[in-house]
Amino acid sequence: MGISGFGPSFLIGVDAIRQAHGSRLATLAGRRLTGFAVVRFVEDGDWFADCPVVLDFDGIQVEVCHWKLDELSIDWDTIDTAATITGWESSELTPRWSHSDERLEPFVGHELREVTLLEWQPADSDLAAGTVAVEFTFASGCLRIVNGLDENSIEVGAAHPDYVRHRLGH
């Protein structure tokens, strides 16, 4: 993707993600969301949802990226969002890091209460069953980065009841 420092390590399933990142995600509780970055195209401002969502909690940067139907990469302090995204010279579109997003902006400055892994387990057969979302809970509400079926999706508010909650740090 041409993102400086981005070397994703994709995992499948809540157990693998919890083992690799659960304790570190839990330690974010009590920190403030001080910034974020997403990739948008210069030409139209559209969000490029294939790229990681970067959240900064008082200097600890967590980078969340979904891929394929069931893979999730969580990385820590690897992406330089000040660096130019390269390798797109022959493309019609120019990706650039943006610190603007109407879903994320309301949470900036707020203290994180909890991080939870959510596992999609609908009652009926579903192609997305087993996918894992990362939920960040603030006093003002919840923010989730979910699998949008081969890309990231950002949701706010209450989680769908078909998610099974896997609390961290408890």
Side-chain angles (χ1 to χ4, degrees):
M1 289 187 202
I3 296 173
S4 178
F6 184 52
S9 176
F10 290 102
L11 299 171
I12 298 173
V14 71
D15 291 336
I17 295 161
R18 182 182 204 136
Q19 182 177 1
H21 301 286
S23 61
R24 193 157 183 201
L25 285 167
T27 66
L28 293 174
R31 293 180 166 273
R32 293 195 182 283
L33 179 65
T34 52
F36 66 86
V38 295
V39 174
R40 295 190 178 280
F41 292 113
V42 172
E43 291 76 11
D44 58 13
D46 284 349
W47 176 39
F48 185 31
D50 289 351
C51 294
V53 176
V54 178
L55 304 173
D56 189 303
F57 292 94
D58 288 326
I60 295 178
Q61 185 171 282
V62 60
E63 305 146 0
V64 180
C65 190
H66 289 89
W67 191 50
K68 296 187 180 179
L69 295 180
D70 58 358
E71 296 184 23
L72 171 61
S73 177
I74 299 174
D75 289 296
W76 301 88
D77 301 311
T78 64
I79 296 174
D80 180 0
T81 61
T84 300
I85 298 171
T86 60
W88 288 73
E89 293 75 20
S90 62
S91 175
E92 298 173 3
L93 299 172
T94 308
R96 184 171 292 149
W97 286 107
S98 171
H99 304 284
S100 175
D101 189 284
E102 67 279 353
R103 297 159 298 187
L104 299 173
E105 288 167 359
F107 297 100
V108 174
H110 292 258
E111 183 178 304
L112 181 66
R113 290 193 168 174
E114 181 180 34
V115 181
T116 306
L117 297 178
L118 303 178
E119 183 179 19
W120 182 249
Q121 290 297 338
D124 297 327
S125 179
D126 186 326
L127 184 63
T131 60
V132 178
V134 183
E135 181 177 68
F136 300 89
T137 303
F138 301 85
S140 59
C142 294
L143 159 68
R144 281 174 309 290
I145 304 171
V146 306
N147 189 316
L149 301 181
D150 196 29
E151 64 184 13
N152 296 298
S153 183
I154 298 172
E155 298 176 351
V156 295
H160 192 283
D162 285 345
Y163 276 116
V164 174
R165 300 179 66 75
H166 298 270
R167 296 180 77 188
L168 303 173
H170 297 279

